[in-house]
Amino acid sequence: MREFEYVRAGEVDQAVATVTADPAASYLAGGTTQIDLMKDGVLEPDRLIDITRLPLGGIHRDGDVLRVGALTTMEELAADPTVAERLPFLREALLLGASVQLRNMATIGGNLLQRTRCRYFRDPTVPACNKRRRGSGCAALRGAARMHAILGASEHCVALHASDMAVPLVALDAVVHLRGTGGERSVPLTGFYRVPGDTPDVENVLAHGELITSVDVPLLAPDARSTYLKIRDRVSYEFALTSAAVALRLDGGLIGEARVALGGVGTIPWRAPEAERVLRGAPASLEVFTAAAEAAVWDPFTVEGTAFKVELAKRTLVRALRTAAGGAR
């Protein structure tokens, strides 16, 4: 790890101004991904602005919305009683997303901004990585790519967005609040991330120096049923091969409301509105769930190591839908 200057921020506006004015400066919160990347030489900031003492934590309910401070830890959010009661699939994603040690360090804002687990991005000795250096190529297209994306991917990048927590959050239409030198703005999480296109190094809409301050999370209706299903190579502490976040409201045998998002398969947390349209107003049946899965995994971009994910993602979603519906046949 190269040397860097460490600065502890005393207030939010000071932190924002400091990072905005210095292209080589970065924020430091839990650091559970950032420090690893610095040790590997992938990230090399000249200055780290420690924001952990800023008043950006806490969970507050306002009607049917939870406002979650960006410095709230994953463990704190998972332990919140409102999350357990009204957002069970978010709690499941948090608990499945990391070990308890990491959950006690990792912050909500940091989790949303975590970098890809692509082995080629994380190895600076690999020259071909468009996410590290635009125009250099994508080594994963011809290398081992089992843990890579099939949705939102292209010949420029197949790197996977690894967050579990972000999957139910995009299904819930969560809103991210940002602070920059020009003031505050709010961005729907579904519009926060950018698919790679021909600029894989641009991962979201944040301007340099903008800081996530909080996230608004709408609560599910009291009668909604939800689940987060994560398929992985081993039972504990492993990233998803595929995952699905599903929330349904049933009216008799029909689906009145449906929220669907996929993880483990997208270059961004993948909302599936096509699947939701198939489900709404339809009976909670295996036939409908299968049709929804077909609609969700549309136009996949696969390489030799990721083709298996197409069928696995569909089966994952069908199983999650059946679970949420109470075992529909």
Side-chain angles (χ1 to χ4, degrees):
M1 184 188 298
R2 60 179 285 185
E3 291 185 356
F4 59 88
E5 180 187 0
Y6 170 85
V7 179
R8 176 171 287 169
E11 56 182 37
V12 174
D13 287 340
Q14 173 200 15
V16 170
T18 301
V19 175
T20 302
D22 185 354
S26 296
Y27 295 115
L28 173 67
T32 54
T33 295
Q34 184 177 22
I35 300 302
D36 286 343
L37 292 174
M38 290 173 64
K39 289 179 179 178
D40 290 339
V42 176
L43 299 181
E44 295 183 321
D46 290 338
R47 280 204 288 179
L48 283 184
I49 311 303
D50 186 342
I51 61 172
T52 56
R53 302 294 179 91
L54 299 181
L56 296 176
I59 304 167
H60 307 282
R61 181 173 177 177
D62 182 8
D64 282 333
V65 175
L66 280 189
R67 174 156 292 189
V68 182
L71 292 179
T72 304
T73 67
M74 293 174 64
E75 186 66 17
E76 289 169 337
L77 186 57
D80 184 82
T82 302
V83 172
E85 178 185 359
R86 296 285 295 275
L87 299 169
F89 70 156
L90 174 58
R91 183 174 188 272
E92 292 166 3
L94 287 161
L95 295 178
L96 291 171
S99 66
V100 66
Q101 294 91 339
L102 287 175
R103 293 199 306 269
N104 276 300
M105 287 295 296
T107 64
I108 300 308
N111 185 281
L112 294 177
L113 294 175
Q114 69 174 283
R115 306 302 296 275
T116 180
R117 295 288 163 174
C118 174
R119 61 189 294 181
Y120 306 103
F121 168 76
R122 289 174 171 259
D123 185 354
T125 67
V126 176
C129 177
N130 287 321
K131 193 172 283 292
R132 273 191 282 108
R133 189 172 68 255
R134 189 186 303 181
S136 62
C138 178
L141 295 179
R142 292 169 296 279
R146 178 175 172 80
M147 299 300 295
H148 288 68
I150 61 172
L151 299 177
S154 72
E155 69 275 9
H156 298 291
C157 185
V158 294
L160 178 73
H161 194 281
S163 173
D164 289 285
M165 180 193 75
V167 181
L169 286 183
V170 296
L172 287 164
D173 293 313
V175 175
V176 181
H177 298 286
L178 311 175
R179 177 85 65 86
T181 54
E184 299 181 348
R185 64 181 179 127
S186 301
V187 180
L189 194 59
T190 50
F192 180 77
Y193 298 104
R194 292 182 53 170
V195 295
D198 57 3
T199 57
D201 53 315
V202 181
E203 299 181 349
N204 53 59
V205 300
L206 276 175
H208 179 71
E210 274 193 305
L211 179 65
I212 296 177
T213 57
S214 63
V215 182
D216 281 354
V217 186
L219 301 178
L220 292 172
D223 60 345
R225 304 176 181 181
S226 71
T227 192
Y228 181 73
L229 176 61
K230 182 176 182 178
I231 305 299
R232 46 191 172 176
D233 283 327
R234 59 186 182 188
V235 174
S236 64
Y237 197 51
E238 181 63 279
F239 294 97
L241 289 172
T242 60
S243 67
V246 170
L248 301 176
R249 290 185 71 186
L250 301 180
D251 183 9
L254 300 180
I255 301 167
E257 182 181 356
R259 296 179 177 272
V260 177
L262 301 177
V265 292
T267 56
I268 62 175
W270 199 262
R271 183 73 178 268
E274 299 83 3
E276 294 171 352
R277 285 192 286 270
V278 170
L279 293 166
R280 291 190 190 106
S285 67
L286 180 58
E287 180 181 5
V288 169
F289 295 162
T290 301
E294 291 290 335
V297 189
W298 56 271
D299 194 25
F301 181 93
T302 64
V303 295
E304 184 176 352
T306 61
F308 77 98
K309 283 194 170 189
V310 176
E311 182 62 25
L312 183 60
K314 294 175 183 177
R315 295 189 182 197
T316 301
L317 180 53
V318 169
R319 180 176 157 191
L321 287 166
R322 294 186 69 182
T323 299
R329 298 181 178 180

PDB file of all heavy atoms in Angstrom, residues 116-147:
ATOM      1  N   THR A 116     -16.713  -4.043  -7.646  1.00  0.00           N
ATOM      2  CA  THR A 116     -16.930  -5.385  -8.148  1.00  0.00           C
ATOM      3  C   THR A 116     -15.923  -6.386  -7.582  1.00  0.00           C
ATOM      4  O   THR A 116     -14.791  -6.020  -7.226  1.00  0.00           O
ATOM      5  CB  THR A 116     -16.847  -5.405  -9.689  1.00  0.00           C
ATOM      6  OG1 THR A 116     -17.064  -6.732 -10.156  1.00  0.00           O
ATOM      7  CG2 THR A 116     -15.484  -4.926 -10.170  1.00  0.00           C
ATOM      8  N   ARG A 117     -16.330  -7.641  -7.540  1.00  0.00           N
ATOM      9  CA  ARG A 117     -15.435  -8.721  -7.119  1.00  0.00           C
ATOM     10  C   ARG A 117     -14.719  -9.363  -8.307  1.00  0.00           C
ATOM     11  O   ARG A 117     -14.083 -10.402  -8.159  1.00  0.00           O
ATOM     12  CB  ARG A 117     -16.225  -9.789  -6.369  1.00  0.00           C
ATOM     13  CG  ARG A 117     -16.803  -9.272  -5.060  1.00  0.00           C
ATOM     14  CD  ARG A 117     -15.739  -9.070  -4.020  1.00  0.00           C
ATOM     15  NE  ARG A 117     -16.198  -8.219  -2.921  1.00  0.00           N
ATOM     16  CZ  ARG A 117     -15.498  -7.987  -1.830  1.00  0.00           C
ATOM     17  NH1 ARG A 117     -14.293  -8.514  -1.684  1.00  0.00           N
ATOM     18  NH2 ARG A 117     -15.970  -7.204  -0.888  1.00  0.00           N
ATOM     19  N   CYS A 118     -14.796  -8.744  -9.473  1.00  0.00           N
ATOM     20  CA  CYS A 118     -14.117  -9.285 -10.654  1.00  0.00           C
ATOM     21  C   CYS A 118     -12.627  -9.480 -10.367  1.00  0.00           C
ATOM     22  O   CYS A 118     -11.925  -8.538  -9.983  1.00  0.00           O
ATOM     23  CB  CYS A 118     -14.298  -8.338 -11.838  1.00  0.00           C
ATOM     24  SG  CYS A 118     -13.347  -8.822 -13.299  1.00  0.00           S
ATOM     25  N   ARG A 119     -12.135 -10.677 -10.562  1.00  0.00           N
ATOM     26  CA  ARG A 119     -10.742 -10.993 -10.238  1.00  0.00           C
ATOM     27  C   ARG A 119      -9.769 -10.210 -11.107  1.00  0.00           C
ATOM     28  O   ARG A 119      -8.639  -9.924 -10.686  1.00  0.00           O
ATOM     29  CB  ARG A 119     -10.505 -12.495 -10.414  1.00  0.00           C
ATOM     30  CG  ARG A 119     -10.732 -13.016 -11.819  1.00  0.00           C
ATOM     31  CD  ARG A 119     -10.708 -14.519 -11.898  1.00  0.00           C
ATOM     32  NE  ARG A 119      -9.387 -15.069 -11.586  1.00  0.00           N
ATOM     33  CZ  ARG A 119      -9.119 -16.377 -11.610  1.00  0.00           C
ATOM     34  NH1 ARG A 119     -10.081 -17.238 -11.917  1.00  0.00           N
ATOM     35  NH2 ARG A 119      -7.920 -16.803 -11.337  1.00  0.00           N
ATOM     36  N   TYR A 120     -10.189  -9.814 -12.287  1.00  0.00           N
ATOM     37  CA  TYR A 120      -9.303  -9.083 -13.194  1.00  0.00           C
ATOM     38  C   TYR A 120      -9.234  -7.606 -12.802  1.00  0.00           C
ATOM     39  O   TYR A 120      -8.179  -6.986 -12.906  1.00  0.00           O
ATOM     40  CB  TYR A 120      -9.777  -9.254 -14.634  1.00  0.00           C
ATOM     41  CG  TYR A 120      -9.924 -10.714 -15.006  1.00  0.00           C
ATOM     42  CD1 TYR A 120     -11.182 -11.317 -15.060  1.00  0.00           C
ATOM     43  CD2 TYR A 120      -8.806 -11.503 -15.243  1.00  0.00           C
ATOM     44  CE1 TYR A 120     -11.313 -12.661 -15.368  1.00  0.00           C
ATOM     45  CE2 TYR A 120      -8.925 -12.844 -15.558  1.00  0.00           C
ATOM     46  CZ  TYR A 120     -10.186 -13.426 -15.604  1.00  0.00           C
ATOM     47  OH  TYR A 120     -10.305 -14.760 -15.891  1.00  0.00           O
ATOM     48  N   PHE A 121     -10.335  -7.052 -12.338  1.00  0.00           N
ATOM     49  CA  PHE A 121     -10.320  -5.686 -11.821  1.00  0.00           C
ATOM     50  C   PHE A 121      -9.432  -5.596 -10.583  1.00  0.00           C
ATOM     51  O   PHE A 121      -8.715  -4.611 -10.390  1.00  0.00           O
ATOM     52  CB  PHE A 121     -11.746  -5.251 -11.477  1.00  0.00           C
ATOM     53  CG  PHE A 121     -11.821  -3.975 -10.678  1.00  0.00           C
ATOM     54  CD1 PHE A 121     -11.622  -2.744 -11.283  1.00  0.00           C
ATOM     55  CD2 PHE A 121     -12.100  -4.008  -9.314  1.00  0.00           C
ATOM     56  CE1 PHE A 121     -11.687  -1.570 -10.546  1.00  0.00           C
ATOM     57  CE2 PHE A 121     -12.174  -2.838  -8.580  1.00  0.00           C
ATOM     58  CZ  PHE A 121     -11.963  -1.618  -9.196  1.00  0.00           C
ATOM     59  N   ARG A 122      -9.453  -6.615  -9.764  1.00  0.00           N
ATOM     60  CA  ARG A 122      -8.741  -6.586  -8.486  1.00  0.00           C
ATOM     61  C   ARG A 122      -7.277  -7.025  -8.591  1.00  0.00           C
ATOM     62  O   ARG A 122      -6.589  -7.092  -7.584  1.00  0.00           O
ATOM     63  CB  ARG A 122      -9.486  -7.453  -7.465  1.00  0.00           C
ATOM     64  CG  ARG A 122     -10.792  -6.814  -7.037  1.00  0.00           C
ATOM     65  CD  ARG A 122     -11.640  -7.695  -6.147  1.00  0.00           C
ATOM     66  NE  ARG A 122     -12.757  -6.918  -5.624  1.00  0.00           N
ATOM     67  CZ  ARG A 122     -12.813  -6.399  -4.405  1.00  0.00           C
ATOM     68  NH1 ARG A 122     -11.825  -6.586  -3.562  1.00  0.00           N
ATOM     69  NH2 ARG A 122     -13.855  -5.682  -4.022  1.00  0.00           N
ATOM     70  N   ASP A 123      -6.827  -7.306  -9.778  1.00  0.00           N
ATOM     71  CA  ASP A 123      -5.424  -7.690  -9.981  1.00  0.00           C
ATOM     72  C   ASP A 123      -4.763  -6.673 -10.909  1.00  0.00           C
ATOM     73  O   ASP A 123      -4.916  -6.750 -12.130  1.00  0.00           O
ATOM     74  CB  ASP A 123      -5.347  -9.090 -10.583  1.00  0.00           C
ATOM     75  CG  ASP A 123      -3.911  -9.591 -10.710  1.00  0.00           C
ATOM     76  OD1 ASP A 123      -2.979  -8.809 -10.446  1.00  0.00           O
ATOM     77  OD2 ASP A 123      -3.739 -10.774 -11.080  1.00  0.00           O
ATOM     78  N   PRO A 124      -4.015  -5.717 -10.364  1.00  0.00           N
ATOM     79  CA  PRO A 124      -3.429  -4.674 -11.212  1.00  0.00           C
ATOM     80  C   PRO A 124      -2.367  -5.187 -12.166  1.00  0.00           C
ATOM     81  O   PRO A 124      -1.942  -4.452 -13.062  1.00  0.00           O
ATOM     82  CB  PRO A 124      -2.838  -3.692 -10.190  1.00  0.00           C
ATOM     83  CG  PRO A 124      -2.645  -4.475  -8.947  1.00  0.00           C
ATOM     84  CD  PRO A 124      -3.728  -5.513  -8.934  1.00  0.00           C
ATOM     85  N   THR A 125      -1.930  -6.452 -12.010  1.00  0.00           N
ATOM     86  CA  THR A 125      -0.978  -7.007 -12.977  1.00  0.00           C
ATOM     87  C   THR A 125      -1.671  -7.432 -14.264  1.00  0.00           C
ATOM     88  O   THR A 125      -1.000  -7.728 -15.256  1.00  0.00           O
ATOM     89  CB  THR A 125      -0.232  -8.212 -12.381  1.00  0.00           C
ATOM     90  OG1 THR A 125      -1.146  -9.295 -12.168  1.00  0.00           O
ATOM     91  CG2 THR A 125       0.444  -7.841 -11.064  1.00  0.00           C
ATOM     92  N   VAL A 126      -3.009  -7.491 -14.251  1.00  0.00           N
ATOM     93  CA  VAL A 126      -3.770  -7.785 -15.471  1.00  0.00           C
ATOM     94  C   VAL A 126      -3.982  -6.472 -16.218  1.00  0.00           C
ATOM     95  O   VAL A 126      -4.674  -5.576 -15.722  1.00  0.00           O
ATOM     96  CB  VAL A 126      -5.126  -8.427 -15.130  1.00  0.00           C
ATOM     97  CG1 VAL A 126      -5.956  -8.635 -16.401  1.00  0.00           C
ATOM     98  CG2 VAL A 126      -4.925  -9.758 -14.407  1.00  0.00           C
ATOM     99  N   PRO A 127      -3.415  -6.317 -17.391  1.00  0.00           N
ATOM    100  CA  PRO A 127      -3.506  -5.015 -18.072  1.00  0.00           C
ATOM    101  C   PRO A 127      -4.872  -4.726 -18.677  1.00  0.00           C
ATOM    102  O   PRO A 127      -5.252  -3.556 -18.811  1.00  0.00           O
ATOM    103  CB  PRO A 127      -2.436  -5.119 -19.162  1.00  0.00           C
ATOM    104  CG  PRO A 127      -2.295  -6.585 -19.427  1.00  0.00           C
ATOM    105  CD  PRO A 127      -2.547  -7.269 -18.121  1.00  0.00           C
ATOM    106  N   ALA A 128      -5.615  -5.767 -19.064  1.00  0.00           N
ATOM    107  CA  ALA A 128      -6.880  -5.559 -19.782  1.00  0.00           C
ATOM    108  C   ALA A 128      -8.050  -5.495 -18.808  1.00  0.00           C
ATOM    109  O   ALA A 128      -8.629  -6.507 -18.423  1.00  0.00           O
ATOM    110  CB  ALA A 128      -7.094  -6.684 -20.800  1.00  0.00           C
ATOM    111  N   CYS A 129      -8.389  -4.290 -18.383  1.00  0.00           N
ATOM    112  CA  CYS A 129      -9.564  -4.080 -17.540  1.00  0.00           C
ATOM    113  C   CYS A 129     -10.109  -2.693 -17.814  1.00  0.00           C
ATOM    114  O   CYS A 129      -9.544  -1.685 -17.364  1.00  0.00           O
ATOM    115  CB  CYS A 129      -9.231  -4.237 -16.056  1.00  0.00           C
ATOM    116  SG  CYS A 129     -10.660  -3.895 -14.985  1.00  0.00           S
ATOM    117  N   ASN A 130     -11.205  -2.640 -18.545  1.00  0.00           N
ATOM    118  CA  ASN A 130     -11.805  -1.352 -18.884  1.00  0.00           C
ATOM    119  C   ASN A 130     -12.327  -0.596 -17.666  1.00  0.00           C
ATOM    120  O   ASN A 130     -12.473   0.624 -17.713  1.00  0.00           O
ATOM    121  CB  ASN A 130     -12.962  -1.559 -19.867  1.00  0.00           C
ATOM    122  CG  ASN A 130     -12.479  -1.911 -21.259  1.00  0.00           C
ATOM    123  OD1 ASN A 130     -11.485  -1.366 -21.734  1.00  0.00           O
ATOM    124  ND2 ASN A 130     -13.166  -2.843 -21.920  1.00  0.00           N
ATOM    125  N   LYS A 131     -12.593  -1.310 -16.594  1.00  0.00           N
ATOM    126  CA  LYS A 131     -13.077  -0.653 -15.387  1.00  0.00           C
ATOM    127  C   LYS A 131     -11.947   0.074 -14.671  1.00  0.00           C
ATOM    128  O   LYS A 131     -12.175   1.108 -14.051  1.00  0.00           O
ATOM    129  CB  LYS A 131     -13.740  -1.675 -14.450  1.00  0.00           C
ATOM    130  CG  LYS A 131     -14.546  -1.044 -13.330  1.00  0.00           C
ATOM    131  CD  LYS A 131     -15.321  -2.074 -12.563  1.00  0.00           C
ATOM    132  CE  LYS A 131     -16.552  -2.538 -13.304  1.00  0.00           C
ATOM    133  NZ  LYS A 131     -17.573  -1.458 -13.424  1.00  0.00           N
ATOM    134  N   ARG A 132     -10.728  -0.456 -14.762  1.00  0.00           N
ATOM    135  CA  ARG A 132      -9.565   0.243 -14.200  1.00  0.00           C
ATOM    136  C   ARG A 132      -9.006   1.271 -15.170  1.00  0.00           C
ATOM    137  O   ARG A 132      -8.616   2.361 -14.769  1.00  0.00           O
ATOM    138  CB  ARG A 132      -8.474  -0.767 -13.835  1.00  0.00           C
ATOM    139  CG  ARG A 132      -8.607  -1.354 -12.447  1.00  0.00           C
ATOM    140  CD  ARG A 132      -7.369  -2.129 -12.026  1.00  0.00           C
ATOM    141  NE  ARG A 132      -7.305  -3.444 -12.631  1.00  0.00           N
ATOM    142  CZ  ARG A 132      -6.479  -3.806 -13.589  1.00  0.00           C
ATOM    143  NH1 ARG A 132      -5.628  -2.926 -14.093  1.00  0.00           N
ATOM    144  NH2 ARG A 132      -6.485  -5.031 -14.070  1.00  0.00           N
ATOM    145  N   ARG A 133      -8.952   0.897 -16.455  1.00  0.00           N
ATOM    146  CA  ARG A 133      -8.388   1.802 -17.463  1.00  0.00           C
ATOM    147  C   ARG A 133      -9.202   1.664 -18.748  1.00  0.00           C
ATOM    148  O   ARG A 133      -9.089   0.671 -19.475  1.00  0.00           O
ATOM    149  CB  ARG A 133      -6.907   1.487 -17.717  1.00  0.00           C
ATOM    150  CG  ARG A 133      -6.211   2.532 -18.594  1.00  0.00           C
ATOM    151  CD  ARG A 133      -4.707   2.309 -18.671  1.00  0.00           C
ATOM    152  NE  ARG A 133      -4.360   1.097 -19.393  1.00  0.00           N
ATOM    153  CZ  ARG A 133      -3.937  -0.028 -18.815  1.00  0.00           C
ATOM    154  NH1 ARG A 133      -3.814  -0.095 -17.506  1.00  0.00           N
ATOM    155  NH2 ARG A 133      -3.635  -1.092 -19.529  1.00  0.00           N
ATOM    156  N   ARG A 134     -10.022   2.661 -18.985  1.00  0.00           N
ATOM    157  CA  ARG A 134     -10.926   2.632 -20.136  1.00  0.00           C
ATOM    158  C   ARG A 134     -10.152   2.428 -21.434  1.00  0.00           C
ATOM    159  O   ARG A 134      -9.136   3.053 -21.677  1.00  0.00           O
ATOM    160  CB  ARG A 134     -11.719   3.935 -20.224  1.00  0.00           C
ATOM    161  CG  ARG A 134     -12.831   3.924 -21.247  1.00  0.00           C
ATOM    162  CD  ARG A 134     -13.464   5.284 -21.387  1.00  0.00           C
ATOM    163  NE  ARG A 134     -13.984   5.804 -20.128  1.00  0.00           N
ATOM    164  CZ  ARG A 134     -14.598   6.982 -20.018  1.00  0.00           C
ATOM    165  NH1 ARG A 134     -14.719   7.770 -21.089  1.00  0.00           N
ATOM    166  NH2 ARG A 134     -15.041   7.397 -18.844  1.00  0.00           N
ATOM    167  N   GLY A 135     -10.649   1.489 -22.253  1.00  0.00           N
ATOM    168  CA  GLY A 135     -10.029   1.220 -23.544  1.00  0.00           C
ATOM    169  C   GLY A 135      -8.979   0.138 -23.530  1.00  0.00           C
ATOM    170  O   GLY A 135      -8.416  -0.201 -24.578  1.00  0.00           O
ATOM    171  N   SER A 136      -8.716  -0.448 -22.359  1.00  0.00           N
ATOM    172  CA  SER A 136      -7.661  -1.464 -22.263  1.00  0.00           C
ATOM    173  C   SER A 136      -8.160  -2.867 -22.580  1.00  0.00           C
ATOM    174  O   SER A 136      -7.366  -3.789 -22.774  1.00  0.00           O
ATOM    175  CB  SER A 136      -7.036  -1.449 -20.858  1.00  0.00           C
ATOM    176  OG  SER A 136      -8.001  -1.772 -19.863  1.00  0.00           O
ATOM    177  N   GLY A 137      -9.472  -3.063 -22.638  1.00  0.00           N
ATOM    178  CA  GLY A 137     -10.017  -4.385 -22.922  1.00  0.00           C
ATOM    179  C   GLY A 137     -10.616  -5.025 -21.680  1.00  0.00           C
ATOM    180  O   GLY A 137     -10.600  -4.452 -20.586  1.00  0.00           O
ATOM    181  N   CYS A 138     -11.147  -6.232 -21.850  1.00  0.00           N
ATOM    182  CA  CYS A 138     -11.774  -6.974 -20.746  1.00  0.00           C
ATOM    183  C   CYS A 138     -11.233  -8.392 -20.735  1.00  0.00           C
ATOM    184  O   CYS A 138     -11.601  -9.220 -21.581  1.00  0.00           O
ATOM    185  CB  CYS A 138     -13.287  -6.980 -20.893  1.00  0.00           C
ATOM    186  SG  CYS A 138     -14.146  -7.932 -19.606  1.00  0.00           S
ATOM    187  N   ALA A 139     -10.355  -8.685 -19.791  1.00  0.00           N
ATOM    188  CA  ALA A 139      -9.730 -10.005 -19.717  1.00  0.00           C
ATOM    189  C   ALA A 139     -10.729 -11.104 -19.403  1.00  0.00           C
ATOM    190  O   ALA A 139     -10.515 -12.267 -19.753  1.00  0.00           O
ATOM    191  CB  ALA A 139      -8.618  -9.990 -18.661  1.00  0.00           C
ATOM    192  N   ALA A 140     -11.847 -10.755 -18.747  1.00  0.00           N
ATOM    193  CA  ALA A 140     -12.826 -11.762 -18.351  1.00  0.00           C
ATOM    194  C   ALA A 140     -13.537 -12.393 -19.540  1.00  0.00           C
ATOM    195  O   ALA A 140     -14.091 -13.483 -19.417  1.00  0.00           O
ATOM    196  CB  ALA A 140     -13.854 -11.141 -17.408  1.00  0.00           C
ATOM    197  N   LEU A 141     -13.545 -11.721 -20.683  1.00  0.00           N
ATOM    198  CA  LEU A 141     -14.234 -12.268 -21.852  1.00  0.00           C
ATOM    199  C   LEU A 141     -13.629 -13.589 -22.295  1.00  0.00           C
ATOM    200  O   LEU A 141     -14.327 -14.456 -22.842  1.00  0.00           O
ATOM    201  CB  LEU A 141     -14.191 -11.267 -23.011  1.00  0.00           C
ATOM    202  CG  LEU A 141     -14.938  -9.952 -22.807  1.00  0.00           C
ATOM    203  CD1 LEU A 141     -14.768  -9.065 -24.034  1.00  0.00           C
ATOM    204  CD2 LEU A 141     -16.418 -10.191 -22.530  1.00  0.00           C
ATOM    205  N   ARG A 142     -12.339 -13.762 -22.062  1.00  0.00           N
ATOM    206  CA  ARG A 142     -11.655 -14.995 -22.488  1.00  0.00           C
ATOM    207  C   ARG A 142     -11.077 -15.773 -21.318  1.00  0.00           C
ATOM    208  O   ARG A 142     -10.487 -16.829 -21.518  1.00  0.00           O
ATOM    209  CB  ARG A 142     -10.533 -14.647 -23.480  1.00  0.00           C
ATOM    210  CG  ARG A 142     -11.059 -14.125 -24.816  1.00  0.00           C
ATOM    211  CD  ARG A 142      -9.953 -13.549 -25.680  1.00  0.00           C
ATOM    212  NE  ARG A 142      -9.346 -12.381 -25.048  1.00  0.00           N
ATOM    213  CZ  ARG A 142      -9.879 -11.166 -25.088  1.00  0.00           C
ATOM    214  NH1 ARG A 142     -11.020 -10.962 -25.712  1.00  0.00           N
ATOM    215  NH2 ARG A 142      -9.273 -10.151 -24.507  1.00  0.00           N
ATOM    216  N   GLY A 143     -11.232 -15.264 -20.106  1.00  0.00           N
ATOM    217  CA  GLY A 143     -10.696 -15.939 -18.934  1.00  0.00           C
ATOM    218  C   GLY A 143     -11.792 -16.582 -18.111  1.00  0.00           C
ATOM    219  O   GLY A 143     -12.948 -16.697 -18.545  1.00  0.00           O
ATOM    220  N   ALA A 144     -11.433 -17.001 -16.898  1.00  0.00           N
ATOM    221  CA  ALA A 144     -12.415 -17.591 -15.986  1.00  0.00           C
ATOM    222  C   ALA A 144     -13.432 -16.536 -15.590  1.00  0.00           C
ATOM    223  O   ALA A 144     -13.075 -15.473 -15.103  1.00  0.00           O
ATOM    224  CB  ALA A 144     -11.703 -18.138 -14.752  1.00  0.00           C
ATOM    225  N   ALA A 145     -14.719 -16.827 -15.792  1.00  0.00           N
ATOM    226  CA  ALA A 145     -15.736 -15.792 -15.592  1.00  0.00           C
ATOM    227  C   ALA A 145     -16.962 -16.324 -14.862  1.00  0.00           C
ATOM    228  O   ALA A 145     -18.059 -15.792 -15.019  1.00  0.00           O
ATOM    229  CB  ALA A 145     -16.144 -15.200 -16.939  1.00  0.00           C
ATOM    230  N   ARG A 146     -16.816 -17.327 -14.047  1.00  0.00           N
ATOM    231  CA  ARG A 146     -17.954 -17.946 -13.368  1.00  0.00           C
ATOM    232  C   ARG A 146     -18.741 -16.955 -12.506  1.00  0.00           C
ATOM    233  O   ARG A 146     -19.967 -17.035 -12.416  1.00  0.00           O
ATOM    234  CB  ARG A 146     -17.443 -19.101 -12.494  1.00  0.00           C
ATOM    235  CG  ARG A 146     -18.515 -19.812 -11.683  1.00  0.00           C
ATOM    236  CD  ARG A 146     -17.915 -21.015 -10.956  1.00  0.00           C
ATOM    237  NE  ARG A 146     -18.844 -21.620 -10.025  1.00  0.00           N
ATOM    238  CZ  ARG A 146     -19.818 -22.447 -10.369  1.00  0.00           C
ATOM    239  NH1 ARG A 146     -19.997 -22.758 -11.638  1.00  0.00           N
ATOM    240  NH2 ARG A 146     -20.615 -22.969  -9.460  1.00  0.00           N
ATOM    241  N   MET A 147     -18.056 -16.003 -11.877  1.00  0.00           N
ATOM    242  CA  MET A 147     -18.699 -15.069 -10.958  1.00  0.00           C
ATOM    243  C   MET A 147     -19.057 -13.747 -11.630  1.00  0.00           C
ATOM    244  O   MET A 147     -19.182 -12.733 -10.955  1.00  0.00           O
ATOM    245  CB  MET A 147     -17.795 -14.813  -9.754  1.00  0.00           C
ATOM    246  CG  MET A 147     -17.463 -16.040  -8.933  1.00  0.00           C
ATOM    247  SD  MET A 147     -18.936 -16.850  -8.227  1.00  0.00           S
ATOM    248  CE  MET A 147     -19.531 -15.581  -7.116  1.00  0.00           C
TER     249      MET A 147
END
